[in-house]
Amino acid sequence: MESMLESIKSLATEIALDLRTHDLLEQALMLESQIDLLDQADNQINALNEIEGLCHVKAFGDLYLESFEGWDWPSKVCKLGQACKKHRLKIEKCI
């Protein structure tokens, strides 16, 4: 079974690819830089927090809805944001 962190990385990577496909390179690079940090224990909480912030409606959600017709972009972004928050809170609880 896939771990929560692997699931987050997988969904974030999928979203970054979607962003690249729609010529939103700057946004894809912002997300990809945080995905890379998820493998570093010292940076994991900050990376989860940053990805959660990027998933805020005004970051990836609202601004690009018109570019992503025909599929469930808001749901995908929301799912990633919620997963990051849940995992971050779980880690912080253990510290």
Side-chain angles (χ1 to χ4, degrees), residues 23-41:
D23 295 323
L24 297 166
L25 184 59
E26 182 179 339
Q27 292 77 13
L29 290 171
M30 289 186 330
L31 183 55
E32 290 166 351
S33 69
Q34 297 306 314
I35 294 168
D36 291 342
L37 295 176
L38 289 174
D39 289 326
Q40 302 172 12

Side-chain angles (χ1 to χ4, degrees), residues 39-56:
D39 289 326
Q40 302 172 12
D42 293 346
N43 295 315
Q44 198 172 79
I45 290 174
N46 287 336
L48 289 165
N49 195 46
E50 286 295 318
I51 293 171
E52 181 185 344
L54 291 172
C55 291
H56 188 272

Side-chain angles (χ1 to χ4, degrees), residues 8 18 23 35 56 64 66 90 95:
I8 288 169
D18 291 338
D23 295 323
I35 294 168
H56 188 272
Y64 309 112
E66 293 174 12
K90 183 179 175 183
I95 295 176

Side-chain angles (χ1 to χ4, degrees), residues 4 22 25 41 46 50 57 64 67-68 75-76 85 91:
M4 175 68 100
H22 288 83
L25 184 59
N46 287 336
E50 286 295 318
V57 166
Y64 309 112
S67 299
F68 296 91
S75 176
K76 189 184 287 191
K85 181 177 182 177
I91 293 170

Side-chain angles (χ1 to χ4, degrees), residues 60-77:
F60 288 162
D62 256 6
L63 296 178
Y64 309 112
L65 288 179
E66 293 174 12
S67 299
F68 296 91
E69 292 179 23
W71 56 283
D72 204 12
W73 175 249
S75 176
K76 189 184 287 191
V77 170

